[in-house]
Amino acid sequence: MSTKTKNMLTTLLTLGMTALAFLLCQLAIVNDWSWMTSTLKGQLVNICAWIIMAVSLNLVVGISGELSLGHAGFMSLGAFSAIIVGSWLKRGMGMESGELRFVIAALSAVLVAGIGGFLIGIPVLRLKGDYLAIVTLAFGQIISNVLRLLYVTVDTDTGSLAMALKIGSGTPKLPGKDIIKGAQGASRMPQDATFVIGFILVMLTLLIVLNLNNSRSGRAIRAIRDNRIAAEAMGLRVTKYKLMAFVTGSALAGLAGALYGLNQSSLQATFFEYNKSIEVLVYVVLGGIGNIWGSIISATTLTILPEMLRSFSEYRMLIYAIVLILVMLATNNPVIKGWFRMVSGRISDRRNRKTGKKEARP
Amino acid sequence: MTQSVKRHSETVMVPFPSDAIVPARDLGKRPVLEARHLGIQFGGLKAVDDFNLTVGPTEIAGLIGPNGAGKTTVFNLLTKVYEPTQGTVLLDGHDTKGLDVTHTARLGVARTFQNIRLFDKMTVEENVRIGLHNKIQYGMVSGILRLPGYWKKERQQHERAMELLRIFNMQDQADAVSGSLPYGAQRRLEILRALATEPKLLLLDEPAAGMNPHETEELMDTIIRIRDQFQIAIMLIEHDMRLVMGICEGICVLNFGQIIAKGTAEEIQNNPVVVEAYLGKQKGAGE
Ligand SMILES: Nc1ncnc2c1ncn2[C@@H]1O[C@H](COP(=O)(O)OP(=O)(O)OP(=O)(O)O)[C@@H](O)[C@H]1O
Ligand SMILES: [Mg+2]
């Protein structure tokens, strides 16, 4: 079986299994199955957001080979952009449709986070060496600190937005109703994110990342990761492809931010600090660097787990550690990887047999 | 082997402008490479000094010299891994001053590396496809959305890659991870990857290193076949004198960063300066 068929089947398999999991959850919700507890139900959208975070960070870390320690920073850019736009559309413009509000809010989130990624990436990715880790680390902290000073209000009659940064001691006085109130963060935003939307965005993210990876641009990105000097000698523009991966990853983190932000009743900027970026990095490393379905599994497991372990109180950390090890074994295990390969191999063999096609072997 | 020996004896080197020499058939054509007074200094060390060389558009040229003579450094200067501290490099008539590696490569120079540099987590075919990157193109959006352009260009890339792999009979290994190939196969893949960029000048840094005599002989035939089929210039660095004397038309000998002799295989073999600096040592040790 050729690499191309294998790649295509892996993509289909990943998308198919994700869709299957979604259907299962929907069935459980409709039929009130006992494992679909109210806690789990409340987490479904967040799980989708963390899957998008893990998969998009895997694009940067695994496929492009650049260490980013500020992925949550781009998520916060997306979350707060989406909250501002969504609240404005609802409370200022009186837009009724939650779906439409979400789409517009998510698009602005993607745009803002993408531009953020571009501005960070342009100076840093030109340099040879691991400067990205340090710069993104700083970026994550700076953006969190800046957002803590942000005040945004909307005039519910005229629909006009007002924004100010708190500089000095006095809090800025803005006309209208609060959307974001400095360190207290955002509240009363429209909770437009739904599990269906979350699922669609996960599928979209998977499609983008997997298709990019298996295209001319994706090969260029991987070639630069494997050997920068050889890639240059082949006439590849290194900065262009590093930027492509980084900006796509950042924009998708913005998308995850929109999903997450428009699912909460309140949200503070400090939530997206350093430790959140590291948490997402843990999902990626645990799921296997460059392994997309591994990211999905580890993001899901590690999001659900802390909530589920609440009742175990003192054994919580112990169980958490054991599950970490199990996830690592599962996603990095050659047997399980082999099973994935075997399943995709079987399907294509069968197809080839049916069509009577054989690979050319002179 | 017989073929390559015959070809070599057919070659007549003729004076190009001034002191440069190229094969007779390349006379009057624009040289693919002209290095003039090329030099680079690392700290106090003049790794390459006053390097002058002209290579004709279908010439097979050799660059030889003892270890540390500066041969790889010459390749690094020609491909702009290093910016020369002196002199100029003209590739197919274009001055490469100030160009980076990427844009120099796009002028039509491709190379292999002495210490193999494959994209080792990628497959054999993908490595060749990277060589085709600028030849068969489609954009990022087309790739993500799988637009018609994607399918068409992917098929073209695949067919071209398989064609190239057949040169070394590697088509069956297309899906192998390149890092897992045996050493000799990795060297051959590097040549194919470079060839995929459709260069005018192909630089091979010790292509026969680690190959057994049989493989080396095959390689010699293949190098000539590549030159004939693609009508390109090939310049190679090699310590295996049988290969160099067998297929190189013009040979340039480097010692301590300076050219000590230039000429045909015969002239080089009979040059006392070369014999003393280089071949003499080899004879004493090897034969
Ligand atoms: N980047 C560098 N910085 C400092 N010195 C260098 C650098 N690159 C090469 N040199 C020195 O330049 C000299 C020539 O090295 P080069 O690798 O070109 O030799 P070579 O002829 O290719 O030898 P070999 O046959 O062993 O491959 C050596 O003395 C080497 O140490
Ligand atoms: Mg060398």
Side-chain angles (χ1 to χ4, degrees):
Chain A
M1 182 176 39
S2 77
T3 317
K4 212 174 135 193
T5 339
K6 213 183 297 175
N7 288 341
M8 208 122 74
L9 279 166
T10 312
T11 305
L12 289 179
L13 216 60
T14 311
L15 291 176
M17 303 243 287
T18 312
L20 215 63
F22 169 74
L23 281 178
L24 210 65
C25 289
Q26 285 293 50
L27 277 177
I29 293 169
V30 172
N31 296 324
D32 246 336
W33 289 345
S34 61
W35 57 266
M36 183 56 76
T37 58
S38 58
T39 339
L40 183 56
K41 228 186 278 180
Q43 278 196 301
L44 288 174
V45 176
N46 292 353
I47 292 172
C48 292
W50 295 119
I51 289 177
I52 296 172
M53 282 299 281
V55 171
S56 57
L57 184 61
N58 211 334
L59 172 62
V60 178
V61 175
I63 297 172
S64 174
E66 290 284 336
L67 186 55
S68 167
L69 297 177
H71 209 53
F74 295 106
M75 189 187 195
S76 73
L77 276 183
F80 281 84
S81 308
I83 287 169
I84 293 170
V85 172
S87 304
W88 171 67
L89 287 174
K90 185 180 183 194
R91 292 157 68 187
M93 305 304 287
M95 187 184 276
E96 297 287 335
S97 160
E99 286 82 15
L100 194 57
R101 278 197 307 252
F102 186 88
V103 169
I104 299 172
L107 283 176
S108 31
V110 167
L111 198 69
V112 171
I115 291 172
F118 185 77
L119 293 179
I120 301 277
I122 264 270
V124 178
L125 293 173
R126 278 169 196 278
L127 305 172
K128 292 174 191 170
D130 298 324
Y131 296 101
L132 194 69
I134 293 170
V135 173
T136 48
L137 177 65
F139 161 76
Q141 295 308 96
I142 290 168
I143 201 72
S144 153
N145 280 314
V146 170
L147 288 176
R148 275 173 58 192
L149 303 175
L150 181 68
Y151 288 77
V152 181
T153 60
V154 60
D155 190 318
T156 46
D157 297 325
T158 61
S160 61
L161 273 178
M163 273 186 222
L165 279 179
K166 172 183 170 182
I167 296 162
S169 53
T171 51
K173 300 241 176 319
L174 297 173
K177 303 257 164 64
D178 289 322
I179 295 178
I180 296 169
K181 209 172 159 191
Q184 291 174 40
S187 56
R188 291 199 56 212
M189 51 271 211
Q191 283 165 274
D192 290 334
T194 63
F195 184 36
V196 176
I197 291 179
F199 165 70
I200 292 171
L201 295 187
V202 167
M203 294 293 269
L204 192 73
T205 302
L206 289 175
L207 211 65
I208 290 173
V209 172
L210 291 170
N211 278 357
L212 176 64
N213 188 32
N214 296 317
S215 71
R216 170 175 171 268
S217 308
R219 280 192 294 272
I221 291 168
R222 281 182 284 139
I224 291 162
R225 169 200 68 191
D226 279 3
N227 203 311
R228 182 194 172 114
I229 291 174
E232 283 176 339
M234 294 292 112
L236 265 56
R237 285 163 61 187
V238 170
T239 312
K240 172 182 166 180
Y241 287 104
K242 279 190 179 292
L243 255 183
M244 187 184 280
F246 187 66
V247 172
T248 308
S250 308
L252 289 173
L255 187 66
L259 189 63
Y260 189 85
L262 294 180
N263 187 45
Q264 317 298 317
S265 51
S266 70
L267 187 64
Q268 285 84 40
T270 43
F271 178 77
F272 299 104
E273 277 182 346
Y274 174 68
N275 46 359
K276 266 288 169 277
S277 294
I278 296 300
E279 237 169 79
V280 180
L281 192 62
V282 168
Y283 301 161
V284 172
V285 174
L286 225 54
I289 288 181
N291 178 351
I292 299 299
W293 65 268
S295 289
I296 301 176
I297 292 173
S298 62
T300 308
T301 318
L302 297 184
T303 310
I304 300 174
L305 204 62
E307 287 297 324
M308 293 212 324
L309 292 180
R310 236 169 228 176
S311 46
F312 292 90
S313 53
E314 63 241 60
Y315 299 113
R316 208 173 126 187
M317 286 326 285
L318 181 67
I319 298 174
Y320 191 83
I322 291 171
V323 173
L324 274 188
I325 294 169
L326 288 179
V327 170
M328 196 151 64
L329 285 177
T331 50
N332 294 326
N333 188 312
V335 177
I336 293 177
K337 276 188 184 169
W339 176 82
F340 229 81
R341 261 197 301 274
M342 194 190 68
V343 170
S344 50
R346 281 247 177 90
I347 297 169
S348 92
D349 283 351
R350 205 168 296 154
R351 208 188 52 181
N352 285 350
R353 230 177 290 143
K354 259 191 209 145
T355 54
K357 224 167 59 185
K358 259 199 175 159
E359 294 194 24
R361 253 171 222 280
Chain B
M1 186 61 210
T2 46
Q3 181 196 18
S4 40
V5 169
K6 201 177 98 220
R7 276 173 190 286
H8 168 238
S9 57
E10 274 171 2
T11 309
V12 183
M13 302 298 283
V14 295
F16 196 63
S18 65
D19 67 329
I21 47 168
V22 294
R25 64 174 181 285
D26 284 346
L27 191 64
K29 295 183 194 150
R30 181 164 65 194
V32 71
L33 168 70
E34 274 186 272
R36 294 186 193 141
H37 310 295
L38 200 57
I40 189 165
Q41 213 161 336
F42 296 120
L45 174 80
K46 280 189 172 170
V48 173
D49 190 24
D50 198 28
F51 183 88
N52 291 287
L53 187 69
T54 303
V55 176
T58 63
E59 180 176 349
I60 298 182
L63 182 60
I64 63 173
N67 290 111
K71 305 181 293 294
T72 300
T73 306
V74 168
F75 274 17
N76 286 338
L77 288 171
L78 298 182
T79 54
K80 299 306 285 292
V81 173
Y82 304 138
E83 184 74 36
T85 47
Q86 288 126 38
T88 48
V89 178
L90 299 182
L91 284 174
D92 200 30
H94 300 277
D95 193 342
T96 63
K97 190 168 184 62
L99 292 185
D100 61 9
V101 176
T102 301
H103 290 92
T104 307
R106 288 179 179 198
L107 284 180
V109 55
R111 69 177 289 185
T112 66
F113 296 88
Q114 182 173 358
N115 47 342
I116 298 171
R117 288 181 175 275
L118 284 173
F119 308 122
D120 45 20
K121 292 188 202 70
M122 299 169 70
T123 67
V124 169
E125 181 183 341
E126 282 179 323
N127 269 270
V128 179
R129 278 168 175 251
I130 291 295
L132 297 170
H133 185 84
N134 291 324
K135 291 298 156 188
I136 304 173
Q137 301 193 10
Y138 62 86
M140 171 199 186
V141 174
S142 183
I144 290 177
L145 299 180
R146 303 272 141 128
L147 300 180
Y150 162 85
W151 300 101
K152 190 173 143 212
K153 301 292 170 139
E154 280 286 295
R155 204 186 50 237
Q156 283 179 13
Q157 278 201 353
H158 172 69
E159 280 163 9
R160 185 85 187 102
M162 295 315 272
E163 248 173 63
L164 285 160
L165 285 173
R166 267 189 279 273
I167 290 176
F168 279 118
N169 206 15
M170 288 179 78
Q171 64 275 22
D172 287 348
Q173 284 141 289
D175 293 320
V177 175
S178 68
S180 69
L181 291 180
Y183 194 73
Q186 293 198 5
R187 286 218 171 275
R188 288 187 281 265
L189 177 56
E190 258 205 330
I191 297 176
L192 294 182
R193 183 182 66 178
L195 205 53
T197 66
E198 295 177 21
K200 298 183 180 105
L201 172 64
L202 178 61
L203 304 175
L204 306 177
D205 199 340
E206 304 198 10
M211 288 189 185
N212 63 37
H214 174 71
E215 285 178 311
T216 305
E217 228 157 85
E218 272 183 5
L219 178 69
M220 289 165 70
D221 285 342
T222 313
I223 289 174
I224 287 171
R225 192 148 50 86
I226 288 171
R227 192 272 313 270
D228 291 347
Q229 189 182 334
F230 294 84
Q231 287 294 305
I232 58 173
I234 299 174
M235 181 167 165
L236 54 91
I237 295 172
E238 189 47 69
H239 286 292
D240 186 327
M241 283 308 134
R242 237 159 40 88
L243 184 146
V244 175
M245 298 305 165
I247 66 173
C248 292
E249 297 163 297
I251 298 170
C252 175
V253 188
L254 215 56
N255 198 15
F256 295 116
Q258 291 189 319
I259 295 179
I260 55 169
K262 269 195 264 188
T264 62
E266 237 166 300
E267 288 163 1
I268 294 298
Q269 275 163 319
N270 300 324
N271 186 324
V273 183
V274 177
V275 174
E276 156 140 16
Y278 185 78
L279 293 175
K281 278 190 231 159
Q282 288 263 311
K283 261 183 194 141
E287 294 172 355

